[in-house]
Amino acid sequence: MSEHAGRVALVTGGSRGIGRGAALELARQGSAVAVHGLNDGYADEVVDEIIAAGGRAIAVVGNIEDPTVAETAVAATIDEFGRLDTLVTSAGIQRYGDVVTTNRQLWDEVFAVNVTGVFLACHFAMPHLRRSPAGSVVIVASVQATATQRQVVAYAASKGALVSMARAMAIDEAQYGVRVNTVSPGSVDTPMLRASAAGFSDGSAEGIETVLRGWGTAHALGRVAQPEEVGAAISFISSPRASFITGDDIRVDGGLLARAAAPIPTTQSGHDHTKGSTHDSTR
């Protein structure tokens, strides 16, 4: 039996990128899905794909930082499907700048979508999730909540806030049986990442691919992730199979944060001096 059979999910930011991957995977695993997007074009495409595969889905649109949009998205989900078991918050934006070049307007813009939008979705969804026999929230954070690049002060701060907020909610909601976790991806091949890559290249298709390949090499697996790979992790962590996991941050980063920055030196001959060694440093 599919792990989400009979369940209902709302995915904010579900029309593109990681949210789209999550919405499609949840539907494939048996969930009815309300797909939230900023505009109806992309959201409708995801809904059509789910329905064509035999699933149930509706589209809800609008800027999730607007309390009316967040409340309406939850209400539309309940009106259509009668319940809510899973909330996935994936809507987010990326802006660049350090603490000097980031002005108040940019800072507020990032936090309005990345943090306030998540808060509002959780605020309106939680009463319904508490009534579910296995309510679950998965917040899409980022490895940049833990280790950051240069020039991402607002984005990194917003993702760190999400990890802390999820922990707080996990403690508060445990008494109602609602689990709350974050998923922190590394680089994922999404429209947002490609837009960033365009800004660090000449903007051509070849230039974007070159930047993406370079970013991929930072991951131990040597590539960036695909949205459906993160979607699979979201599907599992939000399912009843993960019933004893709450307040956790699940990294889906291809080994990005497992790798130490300092390489092992080689000898003057160019050979790795560790080859052939019988020393076991774990003993």
mmCIF file of all heavy atoms in Angstrom, residues 126 129-130 132-137 165-181 243-247:
data_model
loop_
_atom_site.group_PDB
_atom_site.id
_atom_site.type_symbol
_atom_site.label_atom_id
_atom_site.label_comp_id
_atom_site.label_asym_id
_atom_site.label_seq_id
_atom_site.Cartn_x
_atom_site.Cartn_y
_atom_site.Cartn_z
ATOM 1 N N MET A 126 -2.463 24.301 11.303
ATOM 2 C CA MET A 126 -2.246 23.480 12.491
ATOM 3 C C MET A 126 -3.535 22.985 13.168
ATOM 4 O O MET A 126 -3.584 21.817 13.600
ATOM 5 C CB MET A 126 -1.368 24.219 13.501
ATOM 6 C CG MET A 126 -0.791 23.304 14.570
ATOM 7 S SD MET A 126 0.235 21.948 13.868
ATOM 8 C CE MET A 126 1.685 22.878 13.345
ATOM 9 N N LEU A 129 -4.387 19.955 11.245
ATOM 10 C CA LEU A 129 -3.380 18.901 11.411
ATOM 11 C C LEU A 129 -3.517 18.222 12.770
ATOM 12 O O LEU A 129 -3.283 17.021 12.901
ATOM 13 C CB LEU A 129 -1.973 19.482 11.254
ATOM 14 C CG LEU A 129 -1.611 19.986 9.851
ATOM 15 C CD1 LEU A 129 -0.300 20.773 9.887
ATOM 16 C CD2 LEU A 129 -1.500 18.832 8.866
ATOM 17 N N ARG A 130 -3.905 18.982 13.771
ATOM 18 C CA ARG A 130 -4.097 18.394 15.103
ATOM 19 C C ARG A 130 -5.232 17.364 15.110
ATOM 20 O O ARG A 130 -5.237 16.459 15.949
ATOM 21 C CB ARG A 130 -4.397 19.498 16.122
ATOM 22 C CG ARG A 130 -3.203 20.370 16.468
ATOM 23 C CD ARG A 130 -3.624 21.506 17.396
ATOM 24 N NE ARG A 130 -2.491 22.325 17.793
ATOM 25 C CZ ARG A 130 -2.574 23.400 18.584
ATOM 26 N NH1 ARG A 130 -3.776 23.768 19.046
ATOM 27 N NH2 ARG A 130 -1.491 24.093 18.893
ATOM 28 N N SER A 132 -5.813 15.355 12.598
ATOM 29 C CA SER A 132 -5.385 14.189 11.827
ATOM 30 C C SER A 132 -4.833 13.120 12.773
ATOM 31 O O SER A 132 -4.203 13.438 13.780
ATOM 32 C CB SER A 132 -4.288 14.582 10.834
ATOM 33 O OG SER A 132 -3.673 13.442 10.266
ATOM 34 N N PRO A 133 -5.021 11.844 12.450
ATOM 35 C CA PRO A 133 -4.415 10.803 13.290
ATOM 36 C C PRO A 133 -2.896 10.746 13.167
ATOM 37 O O PRO A 133 -2.237 10.112 13.994
ATOM 38 C CB PRO A 133 -5.053 9.518 12.762
ATOM 39 C CG PRO A 133 -5.480 9.837 11.380
ATOM 40 C CD PRO A 133 -5.868 11.275 11.390
ATOM 41 N N ALA A 134 -2.349 11.399 12.142
ATOM 42 C CA ALA A 134 -0.889 11.397 11.957
ATOM 43 C C ALA A 134 -0.482 12.664 11.223
ATOM 44 O O ALA A 134 0.050 12.627 10.107
ATOM 45 C CB ALA A 134 -0.448 10.159 11.183
ATOM 46 N N GLY A 135 -0.726 13.800 11.858
ATOM 47 C CA GLY A 135 -0.401 15.074 11.239
ATOM 48 C C GLY A 135 1.096 15.294 11.128
ATOM 49 O O GLY A 135 1.870 14.881 12.002
ATOM 50 N N SER A 136 1.498 15.950 10.048
ATOM 51 C CA SER A 136 2.930 16.157 9.824
ATOM 52 C C SER A 136 3.179 17.455 9.080
ATOM 53 O O SER A 136 2.435 17.805 8.164
ATOM 54 C CB SER A 136 3.513 14.994 9.017
ATOM 55 O OG SER A 136 4.887 15.206 8.744
ATOM 56 N N VAL A 137 4.224 18.165 9.488
ATOM 57 C CA VAL A 137 4.688 19.368 8.797
ATOM 58 C C VAL A 137 6.130 19.135 8.366
ATOM 59 O O VAL A 137 6.959 18.682 9.165
ATOM 60 C CB VAL A 137 4.632 20.615 9.716
ATOM 61 C CG1 VAL A 137 5.173 21.846 8.989
ATOM 62 C CG2 VAL A 137 3.216 20.860 10.217
ATOM 63 N N MET A 165 12.357 27.456 14.213
ATOM 64 C CA MET A 165 10.908 27.478 14.337
ATOM 65 C C MET A 165 10.332 26.073 14.312
ATOM 66 O O MET A 165 9.409 25.755 15.070
ATOM 67 C CB MET A 165 10.303 28.315 13.209
ATOM 68 C CG MET A 165 8.784 28.448 13.295
ATOM 69 S SD MET A 165 8.096 29.763 12.247
ATOM 70 C CE MET A 165 8.497 29.142 10.623
ATOM 71 N N ALA A 166 10.872 25.219 13.450
ATOM 72 C CA ALA A 166 10.385 23.841 13.368
ATOM 73 C C ALA A 166 10.628 23.097 14.673
ATOM 74 O O ALA A 166 9.763 22.337 15.134
ATOM 75 C CB ALA A 166 11.062 23.111 12.207
ATOM 76 N N ARG A 167 11.780 23.299 15.288
ATOM 77 C CA ARG A 167 12.049 22.645 16.575
ATOM 78 C C ARG A 167 11.046 23.088 17.625
ATOM 79 O O ARG A 167 10.530 22.288 18.409
ATOM 80 C CB ARG A 167 13.479 22.945 17.038
ATOM 81 C CG ARG A 167 14.548 22.139 16.336
ATOM 82 C CD ARG A 167 15.841 22.174 17.124
ATOM 83 N NE ARG A 167 16.362 23.533 17.249
ATOM 84 C CZ ARG A 167 17.312 24.046 16.467
ATOM 85 N NH1 ARG A 167 17.829 23.308 15.489
ATOM 86 N NH2 ARG A 167 17.740 25.276 16.647
ATOM 87 N N ALA A 168 10.774 24.406 17.666
ATOM 88 C CA ALA A 168 9.822 24.923 18.644
ATOM 89 C C ALA A 168 8.429 24.349 18.409
ATOM 90 O O ALA A 168 7.735 23.944 19.357
ATOM 91 C CB ALA A 168 9.791 26.452 18.581
ATOM 92 N N MET A 169 8.014 24.296 17.156
ATOM 93 C CA MET A 169 6.697 23.738 16.848
ATOM 94 C C MET A 169 6.639 22.252 17.169
ATOM 95 O O MET A 169 5.602 21.740 17.611
ATOM 96 C CB MET A 169 6.346 23.979 15.386
ATOM 97 C CG MET A 169 5.953 25.410 15.082
ATOM 98 S SD MET A 169 5.086 25.561 13.490
ATOM 99 C CE MET A 169 6.363 25.035 12.368
ATOM 100 N N ALA A 170 7.733 21.537 16.935
ATOM 101 C CA ALA A 170 7.748 20.102 17.232
ATOM 102 C C ALA A 170 7.471 19.844 18.704
ATOM 103 O O ALA A 170 6.737 18.909 19.054
ATOM 104 C CB ALA A 170 9.103 19.502 16.835
ATOM 105 N N ILE A 171 8.042 20.672 19.565
ATOM 106 C CA ILE A 171 7.800 20.518 21.000
ATOM 107 C C ILE A 171 6.360 20.878 21.348
ATOM 108 O O ILE A 171 5.675 20.165 22.087
ATOM 109 C CB ILE A 171 8.779 21.400 21.796
ATOM 110 C CG1 ILE A 171 10.233 20.970 21.533
ATOM 111 C CG2 ILE A 171 8.467 21.339 23.285
ATOM 112 C CD1 ILE A 171 10.522 19.523 21.839
ATOM 113 N N ASP A 172 5.869 21.970 20.779
ATOM 114 C CA ASP A 172 4.508 22.405 21.084
ATOM 115 C C ASP A 172 3.455 21.420 20.585
ATOM 116 O O ASP A 172 2.435 21.194 21.254
ATOM 117 C CB ASP A 172 4.234 23.772 20.446
ATOM 118 C CG ASP A 172 5.008 24.903 21.103
ATOM 119 O OD1 ASP A 172 5.414 24.744 22.270
ATOM 120 O OD2 ASP A 172 5.214 25.942 20.443
ATOM 121 N N GLU A 173 3.692 20.849 19.416
ATOM 122 C CA GLU A 173 2.657 20.042 18.763
ATOM 123 C C GLU A 173 2.742 18.562 19.091
ATOM 124 O O GLU A 173 1.837 17.793 18.724
ATOM 125 C CB GLU A 173 2.720 20.241 17.243
ATOM 126 C CG GLU A 173 2.516 21.676 16.793
ATOM 127 C CD GLU A 173 1.229 22.288 17.337
ATOM 128 O OE1 GLU A 173 0.203 21.568 17.374
ATOM 129 O OE2 GLU A 173 1.249 23.473 17.720
ATOM 130 N N ALA A 174 3.776 18.145 19.782
ATOM 131 C CA ALA A 174 3.913 16.716 20.104
ATOM 132 C C ALA A 174 2.716 16.197 20.901
ATOM 133 O O ALA A 174 2.274 15.062 20.707
ATOM 134 C CB ALA A 174 5.212 16.477 20.880
ATOM 135 N N GLN A 175 2.163 17.030 21.764
ATOM 136 C CA GLN A 175 1.016 16.592 22.575
ATOM 137 C C GLN A 175 -0.215 16.293 21.729
ATOM 138 O O GLN A 175 -1.115 15.564 22.156
ATOM 139 C CB GLN A 175 0.680 17.666 23.613
ATOM 140 C CG GLN A 175 0.253 18.994 23.009
ATOM 141 C CD GLN A 175 -0.016 20.049 24.054
ATOM 142 O OE1 GLN A 175 -0.728 19.802 25.030
ATOM 143 N NE2 GLN A 175 0.571 21.240 23.878
ATOM 144 N N TYR A 176 -0.239 16.839 20.504
ATOM 145 C CA TYR A 176 -1.360 16.587 19.599
ATOM 146 C C TYR A 176 -1.032 15.508 18.562
ATOM 147 O O TYR A 176 -1.849 15.225 17.687
ATOM 148 C CB TYR A 176 -1.743 17.878 18.865
ATOM 149 C CG TYR A 176 -2.089 19.012 19.799
ATOM 150 C CD1 TYR A 176 -1.188 20.054 20.010
ATOM 151 C CD2 TYR A 176 -3.312 19.041 20.470
ATOM 152 C CE1 TYR A 176 -1.494 21.092 20.870
ATOM 153 C CE2 TYR A 176 -3.625 20.078 21.328
ATOM 154 C CZ TYR A 176 -2.714 21.101 21.528
ATOM 155 O OH TYR A 176 -3.012 22.140 22.390
ATOM 156 N N GLY A 177 0.156 14.943 18.670
ATOM 157 C CA GLY A 177 0.568 13.909 17.721
ATOM 158 C C GLY A 177 1.014 14.435 16.379
ATOM 159 O O GLY A 177 1.151 13.665 15.415
ATOM 160 N N VAL A 178 1.274 15.746 16.272
ATOM 161 C CA VAL A 178 1.731 16.343 15.019
ATOM 162 C C VAL A 178 3.255 16.423 15.031
ATOM 163 O O VAL A 178 3.846 16.965 15.970
ATOM 164 C CB VAL A 178 1.142 17.753 14.811
ATOM 165 C CG1 VAL A 178 1.655 18.359 13.502
ATOM 166 C CG2 VAL A 178 -0.375 17.696 14.808
ATOM 167 N N ARG A 179 3.864 15.862 14.016
ATOM 168 C CA ARG A 179 5.320 15.905 13.895
ATOM 169 C C ARG A 179 5.735 17.080 13.007
ATOM 170 O O ARG A 179 5.055 17.386 12.024
ATOM 171 C CB ARG A 179 5.857 14.611 13.298
ATOM 172 C CG ARG A 179 5.570 13.383 14.140
ATOM 173 C CD ARG A 179 6.148 12.116 13.529
ATOM 174 N NE ARG A 179 5.621 11.858 12.203
ATOM 175 C CZ ARG A 179 6.293 12.023 11.080
ATOM 176 N NH1 ARG A 179 7.540 12.470 11.101
ATOM 177 N NH2 ARG A 179 5.731 11.768 9.907
ATOM 178 N N VAL A 180 6.853 17.721 13.353
ATOM 179 C CA VAL A 180 7.356 18.857 12.579
ATOM 180 C C VAL A 180 8.848 18.665 12.349
ATOM 181 O O VAL A 180 9.615 18.506 13.308
ATOM 182 C CB VAL A 180 7.111 20.197 13.306
ATOM 183 C CG1 VAL A 180 7.541 21.364 12.410
ATOM 184 C CG2 VAL A 180 5.650 20.344 13.718
ATOM 185 N N ASN A 181 9.246 18.654 11.095
ATOM 186 C CA ASN A 181 10.652 18.488 10.734
ATOM 187 C C ASN A 181 11.024 19.454 9.615
ATOM 188 O O ASN A 181 10.154 19.982 8.917
ATOM 189 C CB ASN A 181 10.917 17.057 10.259
ATOM 190 C CG ASN A 181 10.736 16.027 11.350
ATOM 191 O OD1 ASN A 181 11.569 15.894 12.243
ATOM 192 N ND2 ASN A 181 9.622 15.294 11.295
ATOM 193 N N SER A 243 7.109 7.814 11.937
ATOM 194 C CA SER A 243 6.260 8.221 13.064
ATOM 195 C C SER A 243 7.014 8.638 14.322
ATOM 196 O O SER A 243 6.419 9.272 15.197
ATOM 197 C CB SER A 243 5.285 7.090 13.410
ATOM 198 O OG SER A 243 5.987 5.896 13.713
ATOM 199 N N PHE A 244 8.293 8.314 14.460
ATOM 200 C CA PHE A 244 9.024 8.687 15.674
ATOM 201 C C PHE A 244 10.103 9.734 15.385
ATOM 202 O O PHE A 244 11.026 9.929 16.157
ATOM 203 C CB PHE A 244 9.646 7.450 16.325
ATOM 204 C CG PHE A 244 9.892 7.609 17.809
ATOM 205 C CD1 PHE A 244 8.846 7.838 18.686
ATOM 206 C CD2 PHE A 244 11.180 7.540 18.321
ATOM 207 C CE1 PHE A 244 9.070 7.990 20.049
ATOM 208 C CE2 PHE A 244 11.428 7.685 19.693
ATOM 209 C CZ PHE A 244 10.371 7.916 20.549
ATOM 210 N N ILE A 245 9.968 10.418 14.265
ATOM 211 C CA ILE A 245 10.932 11.460 13.899
ATOM 212 C C ILE A 245 10.238 12.816 13.966
ATOM 213 O O ILE A 245 9.317 13.096 13.211
ATOM 214 C CB ILE A 245 11.492 11.241 12.482
ATOM 215 C CG1 ILE A 245 12.159 9.866 12.373
ATOM 216 C CG2 ILE A 245 12.505 12.340 12.139
ATOM 217 C CD1 ILE A 245 12.629 9.519 10.974
ATOM 218 N N THR A 246 10.673 13.641 14.899
ATOM 219 C CA THR A 246 10.145 15.004 14.992
ATOM 220 C C THR A 246 11.207 15.924 15.575
ATOM 221 O O THR A 246 12.104 15.485 16.306
ATOM 222 C CB THR A 246 8.852 15.051 15.840
ATOM 223 O OG1 THR A 246 8.190 16.305 15.621
ATOM 224 C CG2 THR A 246 9.113 14.868 17.321
ATOM 225 N N GLY A 247 11.111 17.195 15.223
ATOM 226 C CA GLY A 247 12.088 18.179 15.691
ATOM 227 C C GLY A 247 13.448 18.005 15.064
ATOM 228 O O GLY A 247 14.444 18.530 15.568
#
